[in-house]
Amino acid sequence: MSYIFKLARRLAMVHLGLLALGIGACSDTVAPSRESPVDPHHASSLQNSGPISQSSNGIVTTGTPGHPNEPIGFVQLNTRPFNNKVENGWRDRGDWRFSIAQDGTAPVSPNNVGKALFPAGWIGGSGPINTWYKLGNLRKNLYISFWIKLSSGWQGHKSGVNKILYIQINNQNMVHLDAHGSGNSILRPDITGQGMNENPVTRVLMPNVNTSVMIKRGQWEHWEVLLTANTSGLPNGAAQWWINGVQVGRYSNVNYVPATGNNDWEVIKWNPVWGGVGDTVRNAQDMTIDDIYISNK
């Protein structure tokens, strides 16, 4: 009996020693390491005042309320609050259908917003306004954020094409953002490339991450777009976009410009071409924008 008692006491002491070393009874419990490897992206983000988040695609973003999917390290190029038709480097064609309007519901910079009027009788194939900003040189990576509201009775062009912004590269209106849908049908947030170094030269980038997100008439929608120019002639360009913080599309095989082309993003234009050719606006409608924000790296 004394031997068994001594053996039991020794086993108990060993068990207590193991507990003191942090080795629990369950072998699948692992104590956290004292040091964790430092993510270089996170380390660089410590200088950013906003909260940090990471998108499902691995991009480390600022997570700030106004630009939640702007990548870390991007620097602001321009912002437009729409206080004037010509402001902060933005130019204007002089259209009377472009106005600075007041909207107390504007999400970023009330009350002033930019408004494009499509009067009754407007024929498809052109835009009633054109206002633009030149980006300058060496803009390979571009982030654009803006808020848009289509009038509640918005009539989509019969072709489904309702262009919002153009982004120019290689001296062409290569990319346009599109609220795609005809008549009073649902409106899908697309990005379309035209005149690209692909066959065919026009390519519609439809939502491929979250296909349930649609543009709603009569309410503000927040677009965020991230464009990466391709290495000239190679299909390694990218396009990503979010609506109201939800990523709806992501492509990484886009061939924007040929080997001899200029692969710097050059100009952003609010030139909302309606259509497609043909078709006519039956009742006056408008497109309203609040706060265009542009950054790059």
Side-chain angles (χ1 to χ4, degrees):
M1 290 294 292
S2 62
Y3 172 79
I4 294 173
F5 174 77
K6 290 179 179 179
L7 178 61
R9 186 172 66 178
R10 287 180 180 178
L11 289 174
M13 292 175 66
V14 170
H15 180 68
L16 290 173
L18 291 173
L19 290 176
L21 292 173
I23 305 176
C26 298
S27 60
D28 60 349
T29 302
V30 180
S33 61
R34 294 176 181 269
E35 296 182 0
S36 300
V38 176
D39 181 345
H41 294 288
H42 178 72
S44 64
S45 71
L46 295 178
Q47 298 177 358
N48 190 290
S49 60
I52 305 304
S53 66
Q54 184 158 334
S55 303
S56 59
N57 57 10
I59 293 177
V60 181
T61 63
T62 61
T64 55
H67 317 113
N69 291 292
E70 179 185 22
I72 287 290
F74 274 51
V75 177
Q76 177 181 319
L77 286 176
N78 184 266
T79 184
R80 181 168 195 184
F82 289 97
N83 292 325
N84 296 285
K85 293 179 68 174
V86 176
E87 61 179 350
N88 296 355
W90 284 79
R91 302 304 179 189
D92 170 42
R93 191 171 63 186
D95 306 281
W96 66 266
R97 300 173 189 88
F98 174 33
S99 63
I100 303 300
Q102 282 68 51
D103 187 337
T105 69
V108 180
S109 54
N111 292 323
N112 290 345
V113 295
K115 179 172 286 188
L117 171 66
F118 297 76
W122 185 262
I123 298 175
S126 63
I129 78 164
N130 189 4
T131 177
W132 64 94
Y133 177 74
K134 292 185 177 181
L135 298 169
N137 298 323
L138 304 177
R139 310 300 184 189
K140 299 289 193 295
N141 302 286
L142 196 64
Y143 170 84
I144 308 167
S145 165
F146 63 94
W147 291 80
I148 183 173
K149 181 171 66 173
L150 301 177
S151 54
S152 57
W154 179 269
Q155 173 194 338
H157 189 271
K158 68 178 182 179
S159 66
V161 176
N162 305 278
K163 299 177 184 179
I164 304 170
L165 297 182
Y166 279 105
I167 302 94
Q168 178 178 305
I169 191 172
N170 198 31
N171 296 313
Q172 298 182 63
N173 289 330
M174 184 74 68
V175 173
H176 67 257
L177 313 182
D178 181 23
H180 192 91
S182 59
N184 61 359
S185 67
I186 59 175
L187 299 171
R188 187 182 67 215
D190 287 354
I191 293 181
T192 299
Q194 56 189 33
M196 296 200 303
N197 188 42
E198 297 190 5
N199 186 16
V201 296
T202 297
R203 181 180 179 187
V204 179
L205 306 180
M206 295 184 291
N208 62 355
V209 176
N210 190 326
T211 59
S212 64
V213 176
M214 297 296 165
I215 302 300
K216 300 177 179 64
R217 294 167 173 82
Q219 71 178 52
W220 289 103
E221 305 279 3
H222 185 199
W223 284 66
E224 295 174 272
V225 179
L226 182 61
L227 300 174
T228 301
N230 64 303
T231 303
S232 296
L234 299 178
N236 59 3
Q240 303 184 60
W241 66 108
W242 298 257
I243 302 296
N244 300 327
V246 176
Q247 186 167 38
V248 296
R250 180 173 68 243
Y251 291 80
S252 59
N253 61 347
V254 186
N255 199 342
Y256 294 109
V257 301
T260 57
N262 172 38
N263 64 340
D264 293 313
W265 301 106
E266 299 162 337
V267 183
I268 293 178
K269 303 177 182 180
W270 182 23
N271 178 210
V273 173
W274 190 66
V277 296
D279 207 356
T280 303
V281 172
R282 293 186 293 274
N283 299 298
Q285 58 189 30
D286 55 66
M287 177 187 293
T288 307
I289 286 187
D290 183 33
D291 196 71
I292 300 176
Y293 171 90
I294 308 165
S295 66
N296 91 303
K297 180 178 180 180

